[in-house]
Amino acid sequence: MVGVLDSNAGKEKEPVHSMSDKEIIIASLRRVERRIRLNRLVTELSLGATLFLAIPLFLKFWDLVVPLRGGTISIIVGIWVLLFVAFVIWRLAQKGTLEHAAASADKRANLQDGLKTAFWFVKNPRPSEWIDAQIRRTANDALNLNITTLYPRRVPVTSYVSMGMVLLFIALNFVPLPWNHNWLALQAAPAFALNEKEAAILKQTEELLRKAEKLKQSQLAEKLEDIVQQLQEGKIDAQQASEMLDQIQNQLQEGNLDASSINEGLEEIAKDLQQSDKLEPTGNAMENKQLNLAADELRKLAEKLGMNTPQASKEMQKSLQQAAENTRPGLEDLAKLLKEAAENMKNDQQQSAQQSLDQAAQELESLQQKIDSQQLKNMASQQLQNLKDSLQQRQQAGQPGQKGQPQPGQKGQKGQGQKAENGQQPDGQSQPGEAGEEGEPTDQAGQQGQPGAMMPGGSEGTGLMPGGKGGTDAPREGAPTSLDVKLKQEKVEGMEDGGEKPQDLEEISKQERSRLDYRNVKSDLSPAQKDLLNQDRIPWEYRPLIKGYFQAIRPAKKQDKQ
Amino acid sequence: MSAAIDQQVITFQEQFKRVKQEVSKVIVGYGEIIDGVIMSMLASGHVLLEGVPGLGKTKLVSTLSDVMRLKFSRIQFTPDLMPADITGTNVVQENTMGEKFLDFQPGPIFSNIVLADEVNRATPKTQSALLEAMEERSVTVGKTSHKLDSPFFVLATQNPLEMEGTYPLPEAQLDRFFMKLKVDYPTVDSLHTILNRTTKNQEPKVERVLGQGEVLDMRKTVRAVPIARPIQDYAIRITLATHPQPPHAHALTMKYVRYGSSPRGAQALVIGGKIRALLNNRVHVSLDDIRAVAYGALRHRVLLNFEGEAERVDTDMIIKGILENTPEPS
């Protein structure tokens, strides 16, 4: 048999000089089988790809509505890839038979089952001239088979569909929506996402902490960033984040000044200084808490110290002496320097007096700096408390904290934020002031709910210290204050000594009662949040302590009668 | 060697073509019927032609006999026809010595081509007289069997069964026919041709183109055509599908068929397929060949049940359903 097997439009021509009729038939069938398999694979794989691509596409759409976490996406995509690879391997491994190829070629080439019959006789040889004739005829037909014509390579429609789906999938990843995550850039919804309010609080807190860099607390901002990052990555949960925020709060509270004592001390010093004409501007500035201005005035005074009349010098010396007697915690150094200045003036040591006044001015500036920094720290602490409360509230409400999801209670949080700004602590926190009245500052430093003298605006209820402990279910103990705490016991009827006259804390509010019925005040809080606010927040383990306290302050006479 | 086979195929086709051409000189518009009749003859089978009176069934057979250089006889089946009228009988004769003896007088069955005209007008008893002749190619009268000449070819015609004065052929008789061909009414064009040919003084004349030896050679050629197992398997599955019993039964078969085809049906499919393959210049049988001869080979072998009879189900419909639902071998 001599000829050329033109099976593929001249592309795969093979010499068949030495091939028998049977070999020609088998070679042709093999080529047909390969082409059938190729076409089948293209069709099946493109169809399979279309069906399989529907899954990630659906997930991506889902992700646009309900953002999926990286872990979820990884698992699903991993399973998807495995299934798809298994499908591809399964289809690739599935080979057709030559019988099938013969049947197919017979139909396509209209060979009237010639190939099928010939192949069967090739496999089952029998001594027959007729069979040989049949094989010879079929071999001739096989030589003329044009596989390219019989089995043209066509791009299936499903491949266009699958390509479209791929493009759509890519496009969906780049949809400019704030809650969209680009899976191609290995982005996904974080394990925990701050809502807008929390993000704003966080930003503000970080700014405050950075401003407080002067107090060598700059690492706290980084710590805070680290905590939030861990939270978003799912390395820690909201409870752990809350505890870590507590630690930062405690660190912020370390080394706090006794603002109330300093305030009062400065006022007293100011009053003393105002008694001298020369020192009056300094006193005024101190009274207005403008310590830098007071320092400038003091320096000016020091420069012109020699120009004062003896009478003026004497007044100054006297005022300084009186001011130096106000030794409050935190003002010891200032008092000491004022005293030195007074004594130097008394001894006519003008130069030494000038130095003392300069040092006092420096002390005032230092004090101003400390107060400013502490103010920033307190604000940061307050913001941290808000952030912590928000996280805890979401944790209690079982919120996963998915970004882009509507946060139930977000509105309520806003309301709480407003309360915080007005001096009210969010629910679960102890109120500023021991009596628990809204926003009433007290002078008991170091207690839960510090007075608000040093807070911005000094408005009622914005305590210097961040919200009191007890914001969480379990009682927590912060770092002990380093300030010299002076508790003033309230004078109770029957007490023989000590105590202060009780104050009517509601006196101010009694002067002008609100005309608005409290029952008509609409609350943004949900019933659950209201219930939370109305809860008795005294932990049961503290109740004996409180009971013991009241028993301790019970009048002695009554105790005797009993 | 293969050239000789090619030559055989060509010769077969030419002879077939010549016979058909000669018959077609007289018979108009029945190409498939003529093919079926010739195929049945070449398959060593018999043919049953069914159609209403006057469609040229008898003319077709008589013309075929004219074309062949074979002995032809015609038997007009009537209700009073006796078996001996077909097979022949022993007649008492006297020799020159005055002794009497029984001498067998062969009936019209002793021919190469026998036309059994209106076969279903005879009683079943008489119809059965053909059984042995058709299958065994012999006739037994008394204690003596008489061989029939080869080729022996019965062409029977019958009127539709529902016609008055007809007796249905017994199943065994039907099964012995290689094919049952339905003769339908001719088309308008065919009728024109028929009228043109038959209403003039000169009637068409046919030539004798095929002799006994040629027919036998053609029969040998047919049987030499190979058939692959998958094709044969397909023919068997079609045959089995005519049976109402699972697993091969078709839904229509199970509903309307009482008995399916005998193995003779499968034989007819294969041999008919072989002839068709040769006619199409092939030396192998294709699935199309099997399908093409299926109606003629099986329609009289599928016996309807009561429901099928009641609903006047056509066996061709059942065969069509079988052909459409029998999977092709891969």
PDB file of all heavy atoms in Angstrom, chain A residues 65 67 179 193 402-407:
ATOM      1  N   VAL A  65     -22.663  41.963  48.970  1.00  0.00           N
ATOM      2  CA  VAL A  65     -23.804  42.206  49.865  1.00  0.00           C
ATOM      3  C   VAL A  65     -23.392  41.934  51.316  1.00  0.00           C
ATOM      4  O   VAL A  65     -23.569  42.766  52.189  1.00  0.00           O
ATOM      5  CB  VAL A  65     -25.002  41.308  49.464  1.00  0.00           C
ATOM      6  CG1 VAL A  65     -26.180  41.591  50.378  1.00  0.00           C
ATOM      7  CG2 VAL A  65     -25.384  41.551  48.020  1.00  0.00           C
ATOM      8  N   PRO A  67     -20.028  40.948  53.106  1.00  0.00           N
ATOM      9  CA  PRO A  67     -18.594  40.690  52.919  1.00  0.00           C
ATOM     10  C   PRO A  67     -18.145  39.398  53.588  1.00  0.00           C
ATOM     11  O   PRO A  67     -18.522  39.114  54.727  1.00  0.00           O
ATOM     12  CB  PRO A  67     -17.927  41.903  53.575  1.00  0.00           C
ATOM     13  CG  PRO A  67     -18.948  42.971  53.508  1.00  0.00           C
ATOM     14  CD  PRO A  67     -20.271  42.299  53.660  1.00  0.00           C
ATOM     15  N   TRP A 179     -17.017  48.847  50.595  1.00  0.00           N
ATOM     16  CA  TRP A 179     -17.022  47.533  51.262  1.00  0.00           C
ATOM     17  C   TRP A 179     -16.587  46.397  50.335  1.00  0.00           C
ATOM     18  O   TRP A 179     -16.651  45.245  50.692  1.00  0.00           O
ATOM     19  CB  TRP A 179     -18.412  47.244  51.811  1.00  0.00           C
ATOM     20  CG  TRP A 179     -19.483  47.267  50.770  1.00  0.00           C
ATOM     21  CD1 TRP A 179     -19.852  46.267  49.955  1.00  0.00           C
ATOM     22  CD2 TRP A 179     -20.306  48.372  50.411  1.00  0.00           C
ATOM     23  NE1 TRP A 179     -20.843  46.656  49.120  1.00  0.00           N
ATOM     24  CE2 TRP A 179     -21.160  47.955  49.377  1.00  0.00           C
ATOM     25  CE3 TRP A 179     -20.406  49.699  50.860  1.00  0.00           C
ATOM     26  CZ2 TRP A 179     -22.081  48.805  48.798  1.00  0.00           C
ATOM     27  CZ3 TRP A 179     -21.335  50.522  50.282  1.00  0.00           C
ATOM     28  CH2 TRP A 179     -22.156  50.085  49.267  1.00  0.00           C
ATOM     29  N   ALA A 193     -14.286  44.572  61.958  1.00  0.00           N
ATOM     30  CA  ALA A 193     -14.169  45.877  61.321  1.00  0.00           C
ATOM     31  C   ALA A 193     -14.812  46.923  62.210  1.00  0.00           C
ATOM     32  O   ALA A 193     -15.868  46.713  62.792  1.00  0.00           O
ATOM     33  CB  ALA A 193     -14.855  45.856  59.968  1.00  0.00           C
ATOM     34  N   GLN A 402     -18.581  42.845  60.895  1.00  0.00           N
ATOM     35  CA  GLN A 402     -18.208  42.846  59.480  1.00  0.00           C
ATOM     36  C   GLN A 402     -18.332  44.238  58.926  1.00  0.00           C
ATOM     37  O   GLN A 402     -19.322  44.914  59.121  1.00  0.00           O
ATOM     38  CB  GLN A 402     -19.109  41.891  58.712  1.00  0.00           C
ATOM     39  CG  GLN A 402     -18.868  40.466  59.048  1.00  0.00           C
ATOM     40  CD  GLN A 402     -17.538  39.980  58.558  1.00  0.00           C
ATOM     41  OE1 GLN A 402     -16.881  40.642  57.790  1.00  0.00           O
ATOM     42  NE2 GLN A 402     -17.108  38.837  59.041  1.00  0.00           N
ATOM     43  N   LYS A 403     -17.338  44.573  58.181  1.00  0.00           N
ATOM     44  CA  LYS A 403     -17.367  45.876  57.555  1.00  0.00           C
ATOM     45  C   LYS A 403     -18.377  45.844  56.426  1.00  0.00           C
ATOM     46  O   LYS A 403     -18.482  44.880  55.707  1.00  0.00           O
ATOM     47  CB  LYS A 403     -15.993  46.195  56.986  1.00  0.00           C
ATOM     48  CG  LYS A 403     -15.822  47.665  56.673  1.00  0.00           C
ATOM     49  CD  LYS A 403     -14.388  47.931  56.304  1.00  0.00           C
ATOM     50  CE  LYS A 403     -14.175  49.409  56.094  1.00  0.00           C
ATOM     51  NZ  LYS A 403     -12.798  49.711  55.774  1.00  0.00           N
ATOM     52  N   GLY A 404     -19.086  46.933  56.300  1.00  0.00           N
ATOM     53  CA  GLY A 404     -20.050  47.013  55.224  1.00  0.00           C
ATOM     54  C   GLY A 404     -21.415  46.517  55.615  1.00  0.00           C
ATOM     55  O   GLY A 404     -22.380  46.771  54.948  1.00  0.00           O
ATOM     56  N   GLN A 405     -21.473  45.780  56.730  1.00  0.00           N
ATOM     57  CA  GLN A 405     -22.769  45.309  57.174  1.00  0.00           C
ATOM     58  C   GLN A 405     -23.417  46.414  57.992  1.00  0.00           C
ATOM     59  O   GLN A 405     -22.740  47.128  58.728  1.00  0.00           O
ATOM     60  CB  GLN A 405     -22.617  44.088  58.065  1.00  0.00           C
ATOM     61  CG  GLN A 405     -22.239  42.858  57.301  1.00  0.00           C
ATOM     62  CD  GLN A 405     -22.115  41.706  58.232  1.00  0.00           C
ATOM     63  OE1 GLN A 405     -21.429  41.802  59.235  1.00  0.00           O
ATOM     64  NE2 GLN A 405     -22.768  40.638  57.920  1.00  0.00           N
ATOM     65  N   PRO A 406     -24.710  46.557  57.857  1.00  0.00           N
ATOM     66  CA  PRO A 406     -25.377  47.522  58.716  1.00  0.00           C
ATOM     67  C   PRO A 406     -25.237  47.089  60.165  1.00  0.00           C
ATOM     68  O   PRO A 406     -25.478  45.928  60.495  1.00  0.00           O
ATOM     69  CB  PRO A 406     -26.829  47.464  58.246  1.00  0.00           C
ATOM     70  CG  PRO A 406     -26.962  46.197  57.500  1.00  0.00           C
ATOM     71  CD  PRO A 406     -25.617  45.855  56.979  1.00  0.00           C
ATOM     72  N   GLN A 407     -24.793  47.959  61.009  1.00  0.00           N
ATOM     73  CA  GLN A 407     -24.551  47.630  62.400  1.00  0.00           C
ATOM     74  C   GLN A 407     -25.775  47.970  63.227  1.00  0.00           C
ATOM     75  O   GLN A 407     -26.079  49.139  63.402  1.00  0.00           O
ATOM     76  CB  GLN A 407     -23.360  48.427  62.937  1.00  0.00           C
ATOM     77  CG  GLN A 407     -22.080  48.162  62.181  1.00  0.00           C
ATOM     78  CD  GLN A 407     -21.557  46.779  62.468  1.00  0.00           C
ATOM     79  OE1 GLN A 407     -21.885  46.197  63.481  1.00  0.00           O
ATOM     80  NE2 GLN A 407     -20.747  46.258  61.587  1.00  0.00           N
TER      81      GLN A 407
END
